[in-house]
Amino acid sequence: MSNVRTLAFEIGTEEIPAFDLKNATEKLPQIMASALTDARIAFGGMEVFSTPRRMAVVVRGVEEETAQVDETFKGPSVAIAFDEAGAPTKAAIGFARGKGVAVESLEVREEGGAEYVFASRRIESARTIGLLPEVLRGVIEAIPWPKSMRWASYPEVFSRPVRWLVALFGDEVVPLSFAGAVAGRHTEGHRVLSPAGTDIARADEYEAAVRQLKIVPAQDERRALIEEAVRAMEADLGEGFTAVLPEKTLTEVVNLSEAPTPLLASFAEEFLAVPEEIIVDAMLMHQRYFPLYRDGKLANRFIIVSNGDDRFADNIIDGNQRVVAARLYDAKFFYEEDLKRPLEAYVDRLDEVVFQEKLGTMRQKTSRVCRLAERLCLDAALEAEEAGKVARAARLAKADLVTNAVIEFTSVQGIMGSYYAEAAGEDAEVAAAIADHYRPRFAGDDIPSGIVGRMLALADKVDTICGLFAIGQLPTGSSDPFALRRAALGVISILQSGLDVSLDGAIQDALRIYQEDGVPFDASDAHASIKDFFVTRMKVMLKEDGCSVDAIDAVLAAGVWEPVVVEARVRALDVARTDALEAFADLSVAYARANNLRDADAGSLYDPALFNDSEAALARSIEAARTEVAEALAGDDYPAALAALAALRAPIDGFFEATMIMDEDLALRANRMKLLNAFVEVFANVADFGLLSSKRS
Amino acid sequence: MSSASKNAPTFQEVIMRLQEFWASQGCVILQPYDNEVGAGTNAPATTLRALGPDTWRTAYVQGCRRPTDGRYGENPNRLQFYYQFQVLIKPSPDDIQEAYLASLRAIGINTDEHDVRFVEDDWESPTLGAWGLGWEVWIDGMEVTQFTYFQQVGGFECSPVPVEIAYGLERLTMFVQGVDSVYDIVWAKGPDGVTFTYGDVYLENEREYSAYNFEVADTAFLFQEFADREAECLKTLEAGLPLPAYDSVLKCCHTFNLLDARGVISATERMGYILRVRTLAKACCESYMEHVVGLPGAAERKEGTR
């Protein structure tokens, strides 16, 4: 075993985007480990560092020399490797070339009573320092970026330009360059706090040297520092103050600074008259500030995270406050302008907003959603009063898209409409539905709270999905610009909340409305692909909810796909199987056997006169089960249907045990085929038991 | 109000110092392009000169027209005509961020006493078939500059890669002078103390042009102009003259923007107009590659490699 040293490698860059940096930092240890392993360099532990301007890895216990390795590979048998004259065949030559050895050096050895050729090679020990340039360059190139770029005249690509490299093996510089950056021992400092940077003598000293530059070199550490300072500010402000730190904004802020300093700032109280959602949007989305709340209501305070020198905190706070004041001035102006007209007045202007090029404007969408919502209300047998509210909410739902506030602050769509509706004297449920109809907006978000919002959300989402499928704009693996997957999950969640609406009916209505409006498409193709889409989403959703995959497939195979029905059946099937594990395992084996043996074309009109005892018993059970299953399904009692099927287990087992199906008497054989068909048909409307795995863990 | 305002440079001093700074970096200081553009990027000194292998360095002030942003002079932050200071350097220098920070110091911003950030902002212009990666630069939370490494223009890979720096001159000066309304910017100040503000120079302009853009511009005339300019552009391209052809593209863009401000382009027509402009812009870039950069058959070659 040779001596070990520490390896320090820093890639110095122009500012890397916050989320890309987070992902790359998480992947860096694996990338470095594989690069070293591939070069046969042994090493101990490693630490990873990153700031917007640097990504670094310090690897401890790196061997100065790689171990010498002897490798032996078994090749073809002698009979294949040499021809009759004893000369090597193509097979032997190819094998030798593949292993990088001369064909003459192949050895013949006996193994398991036969002779084979073997190739041996030795990989000599190498000095690590000589291997590192290629290893480290490989590390730079292996870091994955969602978007990468070129700069100047260099052929290399990276997330943003690479400007310096530190590569130290012990106290030795690893000779390496990348896109004009030549590795050395100099690291750049923080732009303001330590602009001169510093030279690092030895790899061991990397972390200390960077800290000496007042840089906080790890994401987690910057995050903890920010969170702690925010808590201290909350405490200083006194009782009732809490800051909101959404994960997305926090991640950005953590990766927008090398040395974060949270600072407290404020805005004029008069702006609190503006709906707080706009203020928060301006702060979080545009400026990456953290808003402060007092007793649940927005306060006129916010937290900035600075990357500057805290001796000049006053400058920095003043500048930020002026930016916020200007934005809030705009927001207040827009809000007050918007309020000068009732929300209804904006509906006509939806002509100006395109929903989708081939599907027309938001005005047209509004008209379609109104018609679809009316149909859904009928289907759900809503009271006239509620149906009236749904109709009103549908008419106004998109009107805020042409208001100044939403044009400027897009994330408050719906919410502003709700404020404007209330201000215009609309019903409270109508106003709430306008805000709610975009829900669920992300995974885990709530569905609309009231029935009016749910009906509206359902109509809006079904319209969007059907329209885009009708014109063939299906979501792909990487692109789902209309968030159709999320819309479908939303539809399913809303239906599961207890709305008595048929999804299939809603889809057919939505497609019919598109046809009424003259959008050209093939309705049956669209219907089929929309159905597939929902079925796929449903599978994903149920699987994530812990339902077993084979139960989902078995239920879907019976031809039902209304989400509520599918879910109820899958759950009942899973429960029934857990309760009667053995019975269901046997039943699915018997079902599969019957299904494999039967001749589906033979029909199921058996002749009882030809039965033996076990056949007669099975036939009686089938008759009974058929009646019970039909009654159970008519009464939506799926567990009872499963129980009726479970009762077939003993008779079918008895039948298989006592009866030779492929009897020489062709009449008997045909009759038994018919009996098997009758057996299989009882299952048809319940679940395809052939898809149930017989082993349940 | 910030203490920065006392010895702060005037608007014209900000411009002159930026010109001087970038001249010292070896840039050709151009005067504003004499055609309507929506951004400094659209001037031919950037769009067309970004193409091809030759070294190019330029800096210029560019008046930019965005008819829909007019607010009749009543909004302190929004203008239908405003100024950008545009820098384009090809190939991008290795120390370009440092040079940019030095340019801020040249106009009186002590970068050590403020929080200067480079915040991810990717640029894409479907109309130009162009995209690049870079940042918006914030000073104490205020966005003052767009900083972009062009990767593609007119559907062509940029090689070498140019870097573009576009300063918002009004924003920057508001920051330097510590004023909250664009109209309060001090534009010039004589030795006798006589002062001209941005409002003195441009307020009337904003009022009149807002009225013209939103209420008066003759839409029939503009529709005709768009069609005529489109035809003119194609004819000019047939003659193998990308530079004058590109002027017609700019005219089409501005005419479209005016029609948009007049509210006479329906949502469905909108996409059609944008596509027509894109077709012309890309054709000009292809023609420029063929006739100026010297890649015969650039158009066909491009199709082949995509």
Side-chain angles (χ1 to χ4, degrees):
Chain A
M1 185 146 127
S2 63
N3 292 326
V4 296
R5 295 190 210 170
T6 297
L7 169 69
F9 183 47
E10 179 187 69
I11 308 167
T13 61
E14 296 183 359
E15 281 78 352
I16 306 266
F19 291 103
D20 300 352
L21 177 64
K22 177 174 188 275
N23 293 332
T25 306
E26 283 161 7
K27 299 211 169 82
L28 196 49
Q30 182 53 47
I31 291 169
M32 177 61 92
S34 345
L36 290 170
T37 307
D38 289 351
R40 302 171 188 273
I41 300 170
F43 59 94
M46 71 174 79
E47 289 148 285
V48 170
F49 303 96
S50 71
T51 76
R53 294 179 71 211
R54 65 196 78 224
M55 302 175 69
V57 196
V58 173
V59 191
R60 316 241 171 234
V62 181
E63 302 271 356
E64 288 184 346
E65 282 168 21
T66 62
Q68 172 184 304
V69 183
D70 289 315
E71 292 175 319
T72 305
F73 303 94
K74 180 180 165 189
S77 68
V78 167
I80 292 171
F82 301 102
D83 63 18
E84 285 161 15
T89 62
K90 275 187 182 168
I93 295 168
F95 169 67
R97 188 172 47 229
K99 299 300 168 198
V101 302
V103 70
E104 302 78 42
S105 71
L106 293 178
E107 298 164 39
V108 174
R109 286 187 222 161
E110 196 200 298
E111 192 178 286
E115 290 191 312
Y116 297 91
V117 295
F118 283 81
S120 302
R121 67 181 183 197
R122 164 167 292 184
I123 295 170
E124 298 290 346
S125 163
R127 293 190 60 223
T128 297
I129 185 82
L131 301 173
L132 282 175
E134 203 180 320
V135 167
L136 297 182
R137 203 184 151 86
V139 168
I140 305 179
E141 286 165 352
I143 299 173
W145 302 107
K147 280 186 190 168
S148 42
M149 58 168 279
R150 293 171 295 113
W151 59 99
S153 306
Y154 307 113
E156 289 94 340
V157 297
F158 207 68
S159 169
R160 289 293 184 275
V162 173
R163 291 306 183 201
W164 77 87
L165 296 169
V166 174
L168 291 171
F169 188 47
D171 57 5
E172 209 173 338
V173 170
V174 180
L176 154 83
S177 69
F178 184 86
V182 179
R185 57 179 77 251
H186 184 78
T187 185
E188 296 291 328
H190 182 280
R191 284 195 199 281
V192 174
L193 301 176
S194 51
T198 190
D199 283 350
I200 302 171
R202 299 170 347 128
D204 283 332
E205 294 164 9
Y206 173 79
E207 186 183 346
V210 172
R211 287 186 189 280
Q212 192 70 37
L213 295 169
K214 300 184 186 159
I215 287 162
V216 185
Q219 310 186 83
D220 293 346
E221 206 180 324
R222 290 194 297 279
R223 171 183 288 255
L225 191 151
I226 291 167
E227 285 173 329
E228 194 180 322
V230 166
R231 278 193 295 271
M233 280 180 193
E234 289 169 341
D236 279 355
L237 283 166
E239 199 71 12
F241 276 96
T242 39
V244 170
L245 282 63
E247 185 54 34
K248 182 172 175 284
T249 309
L250 184 57
T251 300
E252 276 189 283
V253 163
V254 161
N255 279 340
L256 270 170
S257 62
E258 295 208 272
T261 314
L263 301 170
L264 185 63
S266 62
F267 57 84
E269 252 177 88
E270 58 169 312
F271 292 123
L272 289 175
V274 178
E276 61 183 48
E277 289 87 350
I278 303 190
I279 302 181
V280 170
D281 180 81
M283 282 195 215
L284 292 176
M285 305 297 289
H286 295 267
Q287 298 296 137
R288 284 83 162 179
Y289 301 142
F290 301 125
L292 275 156
Y293 291 81
R294 182 174 204 175
D295 300 324
K297 284 199 66 187
L298 189 70
N300 66 329
R301 306 291 185 93
F302 59 98
I303 295 169
I304 307 161
V305 179
S306 161
N307 186 41
D309 184 341
D310 41 3
R311 287 180 298 162
F312 303 102
D314 288 348
N315 270 352
I316 295 167
I317 291 170
D318 177 66
N320 280 283
Q321 289 184 163
R322 286 170 52 201
V323 174
V324 166
R327 289 202 74 84
L328 294 186
Y329 175 92
D330 273 0
K332 185 162 178 279
F333 175 80
F334 291 144
Y335 175 62
E336 285 167 358
E337 280 297 301
D338 290 342
L339 280 176
K340 287 179 182 165
R341 304 162 75 203
L343 187 57
E344 170 72 41
Y346 295 96
V347 173
D348 285 345
R349 286 190 42 211
L350 289 173
D351 268 339
E352 298 164 20
V353 183
V354 181
F355 166 56
Q356 201 281 344
E357 220 183 317
K358 291 184 182 150
L359 302 177
T361 65
M362 278 295 174
R363 181 76 205 273
Q364 288 166 302
K365 184 181 203 329
T366 298
S367 147
R368 288 192 310 267
V369 171
C370 285
R371 282 175 279 164
L372 181 57
E374 191 185 345
R375 274 282 309 120
L376 298 183
C377 288
L378 278 177
D379 192 14
L382 241 56
E383 300 284 335
E385 196 195 335
E386 276 178 332
K389 288 178 186 175
V390 174
R392 185 68 187 152
R395 175 162 172 80
L396 297 175
K398 304 294 180 187
D400 69 352
L401 293 178
V402 288
T403 61
N404 291 306
V406 174
I407 290 170
E408 192 66 17
F409 303 100
T410 46
S411 82
V412 293
Q413 61 181 13
I415 293 165
M416 293 318 295
S418 173
Y419 278 107
Y420 297 148
E422 233 170 294
E426 300 287 345
D427 178 85
E429 278 185 85
V430 169
I434 294 170
D436 268 5
H437 85 281
Y438 290 103
R439 287 177 185 272
R441 292 160 304 179
F442 46 86
D445 190 22
D446 292 336
I447 62 167
S449 55
I451 181 78
V452 180
R454 285 178 196 178
M455 294 303 286
L456 174 57
L458 197 61
D460 181 39
K461 292 178 204 311
V462 170
D463 173 77
T464 300
I465 294 168
C466 290
L468 285 147
F469 271 78
I471 56 165
Q473 299 269 316
L474 281 60
T476 64
S478 57
S479 161
D480 184 7
F482 284 81
L484 298 184
R485 291 193 189 90
R486 198 178 66 211
L489 293 178
V491 165
I492 296 171
S493 304
I494 291 169
L495 290 171
Q496 285 170 337
S497 75
L499 282 194
D500 193 9
V501 172
S502 153
L503 175 58
D504 192 40
I507 291 167
Q508 295 191 15
D509 285 334
L511 291 174
R512 207 194 53 242
I513 290 170
Y514 273 106
Q515 285 183 314
E516 283 169 11
D517 283 9
V519 176
F521 63 93
D522 183 318
S524 73
D525 283 359
H527 183 266
S529 57
I530 295 165
K531 179 183 158 184
D532 277 356
F533 180 62
F534 270 102
V535 166
T536 309
R537 309 288 16 118
M538 231 172 338
K539 282 185 183 174
V540 171
M541 215 166 152
L542 290 171
K543 215 168 91 184
E544 281 173 2
D545 259 17
C547 296
S548 52
V549 178
D550 56 346
I552 299 170
D553 289 340
V555 167
L556 286 170
V560 292
W561 67 283
E562 284 294 335
V564 175
V565 178
V566 172
E567 189 198 0
R569 290 186 176 194
V570 169
R571 292 198 188 284
L573 184 51
D574 268 341
V575 167
R577 278 206 295 177
T578 318
D579 289 353
L581 197 59
E582 202 185 321
F584 271 82
D586 290 353
L587 195 58
S588 67
V589 171
Y591 176 92
R593 190 167 162 197
N595 200 28
N596 290 336
L597 281 171
R598 79 196 180 109
D599 171 5
D601 299 329
S604 55
L605 289 173
Y606 47 75
D607 178 3
L610 299 174
F611 282 163
N612 65 24
D613 286 352
S614 74
E615 287 172 283
L618 177 60
R620 276 194 305 276
S621 303
I622 290 172
E623 291 304 327
R626 184 182 294 135
T627 314
E628 283 173 47
V629 165
E631 280 172 9
L633 290 184
D636 271 345
D637 189 350
Y638 194 69
L642 291 173
L645 292 180
L648 290 171
R649 177 201 170 200
I652 189 72
D653 285 352
F655 169 78
F656 279 130
E657 219 161 281
T659 312
M660 170 73 174
I661 298 175
M662 292 298 162
D663 200 281
E664 281 175 14
D665 181 337
L666 290 182
L668 280 182
R669 188 193 289 192
N671 202 46
R672 284 168 189 166
M673 284 295 171
K674 289 174 183 170
L675 183 58
L676 283 181
N677 281 340
F679 172 77
V680 168
E681 279 167 15
V682 185
F683 288 75
N685 292 322
V686 185
D688 182 344
F689 273 59
L691 295 174
L692 287 181
S693 111
S694 48
K695 281 176 280 175
R696 273 277 277 168
S697 54
Chain B
M1 182 149 303
S2 161
S3 57
S5 56
K6 276 219 173 115
N7 298 313
T10 61
F11 189 63
Q12 64 194 24
E13 280 167 344
V14 167
I15 291 172
M16 289 187 286
R17 289 184 196 178
L18 285 174
Q19 287 180 334
E20 215 168 283
F21 179 86
W22 289 104
S24 76
Q25 302 288 312
C27 287
V28 170
I29 305 299
L30 286 173
Q31 300 307 313
Y33 194 60
D34 62 342
N35 199 342
E36 301 96 338
V37 296
T41 309
N42 296 354
T46 291
T47 302
L48 296 178
R49 287 269 180 146
L51 294 167
D54 294 342
T55 295
W56 176 237
R57 296 174 190 169
T58 189
Y60 53 94
V61 175
Q62 185 64 53
C64 302
R65 298 196 189 215
R66 304 229 170 137
T68 49
D69 278 353
R71 292 291 184 273
Y72 295 86
E74 284 165 20
N75 184 303
N77 301 304
R78 237 167 248 252
L79 303 164
Q80 58 79 42
F81 180 93
Y82 69 101
Y83 286 105
Q84 281 184 350
F85 191 87
Q86 170 86 4
V87 179
L88 187 87
I89 304 185
K90 176 180 67 171
S92 63
D94 286 352
D95 62 349
I96 188 63
Q97 277 190 318
E98 289 314 313
Y100 167 73
L101 292 170
S103 77
L104 294 181
R105 291 191 284 274
I107 54 172
I109 298 174
N110 185 342
T111 50
D112 287 346
E113 298 180 4
H114 293 279
D115 183 16
V116 182
R117 285 312 170 93
F118 291 83
V119 181
E120 171 190 15
D121 188 34
D122 301 339
W123 172 76
E124 188 178 10
S125 167
T127 327
L128 284 178
W131 69 278
L133 298 186
W135 311 271
E136 45 184 54
V137 182
W138 292 5
I139 306 182
D140 299 342
M142 180 183 279
E143 182 200 335
V144 292
T145 305
Q146 291 283 333
F147 197 124
T148 311
Y149 291 94
F150 284 1
Q151 302 293 300
Q152 223 180 57
V153 171
F156 294 95
E157 293 288 319
C158 293
S159 180
V161 171
V163 61
E164 175 198 71
I165 298 174
Y167 304 78
L169 282 171
E170 289 84 356
R171 286 262 191 101
L172 199 59
T173 311
M174 283 168 76
F175 179 84
V176 174
Q177 296 185 356
V179 297
D180 291 328
S181 166
V182 65
Y183 297 107
D184 293 337
I185 288 174
V186 175
W187 190 303
K189 195 173 181 179
D192 57 356
V194 172
T195 298
F196 296 94
T197 65
Y198 198 94
D200 293 333
V201 181
Y202 267 115
L203 183 56
E204 181 61 18
N205 197 70
E206 281 302 306
R207 288 182 181 140
E208 287 195 16
Y209 272 93
S210 294
Y212 175 78
N213 298 340
F214 288 127
E215 301 161 27
V216 176
D218 183 332
T219 56
F221 166 76
L222 291 170
F223 278 121
Q224 189 60 48
E225 187 184 10
F226 188 96
D228 289 349
R229 279 294 182 180
E230 185 180 37
E232 180 74 359
C233 179
L234 294 172
K235 220 164 54 184
T236 316
L237 283 173
E238 274 170 33
L241 300 171
L243 295 176
Y246 187 70
D247 266 352
S248 289
V249 178
L250 294 177
K251 288 288 184 196
C252 282
C253 280
H254 182 59
T255 307
F256 168 77
N257 289 341
L258 279 174
L259 286 165
D260 197 22
R262 292 286 282 118
V264 292
I265 295 193
S266 75
T268 32
E269 288 168 324
R270 210 186 152 74
M271 211 48 217
Y273 278 100
I274 291 175
L275 278 173
R276 282 161 76 180
V277 175
R278 180 197 306 190
T279 306
L280 297 179
K282 290 184 114 172
C284 286
C285 290
E286 280 159 23
S287 173
Y288 185 86
M289 287 299 276
E290 183 176 344
H291 295 287
V292 182
V293 174
L295 280 182
E300 297 84 69
R301 186 175 306 184
K302 198 186 79 158
E303 290 313 314
T305 55
R306 287 176 71 87

